[in-house]
Amino acid sequence: MYPEYLVAPMRADLTTAGFAELKDAEEVKNAIESEGTVFVMVNSVCGCAAAMARPAAKLAVQNQKHPDKLVTVFAGMEKDAVDEARRLMLPYPPSSPAMALFKNGKLVHMIERHQIEGRPAQMIADNLIDAFDQHC
């Protein structure tokens, strides 16, 4: 676990962009298994989250077609919430940061850390926008 003062600005980076922060397993399960589309961002303290993942997520959700719900969990903080999100992202291995799109409770698109590292935010956002255009 990280000190809250350290992660507060990283949380706010997404919540001020309209993401709801989920802090327990039940909230995660209810959000992801709901009807419609849900975009889940597994937030992280790492540099690739700050430089690429969060900026990409914020760019992508500005697309005309976007998910019904935007949610986030924070790796290294709310363990039960993150574990539940990762369980629902199977068969993909745990990854942070990571981004997943669910439609009616089914995983339809996944971006893992290795697809984030070393790529510009706009390239990641374009990948997400393609998924949003297809599924939302």
Side-chain angles (χ1 to χ4, degrees):
M1 299 288 176
Y2 301 101
E4 184 58 38
Y5 72 86
L6 178 72
V7 301
M10 298 170 209
R11 291 181 191 275
D13 198 17
L14 291 178
T15 58
T16 58
F19 284 75
E21 195 164 34
L22 306 180
K23 295 204 175 186
D24 66 45
E26 186 175 338
E27 286 181 327
V28 171
K29 186 176 188 322
N30 290 341
I32 291 175
E33 292 182 349
S34 64
E35 188 174 321
T37 52
V38 181
F39 177 48
V40 181
M41 169 75 194
V42 179
N43 204 350
S44 172
V45 298
C46 72
C48 64
M52 295 159 251
R54 289 192 300 269
K58 292 187 303 183
L59 283 169
V61 300
Q62 294 175 27
N63 188 49
Q64 184 175 0
K65 286 181 118 179
H66 54 79
D68 300 315
K69 293 180 186 174
L70 309 173
V71 301
T72 182
V73 296
F74 207 108
M77 294 302 288
E78 292 79 30
K79 182 179 179 349
D80 292 341
V82 174
D83 287 350
E84 181 64 12
R86 288 175 170 164
R87 182 187 71 78
L88 295 168
M89 292 174 188
L90 288 172
Y92 294 94
S95 176
S96 57
M99 303 173 197
L101 180 63
F102 292 84
K103 185 171 186 174
N104 299 324
K106 304 289 183 203
L107 181 63
V108 294
H109 190 74
M110 183 75 184
I111 298 178
E112 299 173 88
R113 180 185 179 106
H114 71 88
Q115 296 167 302
I116 295 169
E117 292 176 309
R119 289 177 174 77
Q122 187 63 58
M123 180 183 288
I124 300 162
D126 290 344
N127 179 309
L128 289 168
I129 288 167
D130 287 345
F132 296 170
D133 285 343
Q134 181 180 353
H135 298 287
C136 297

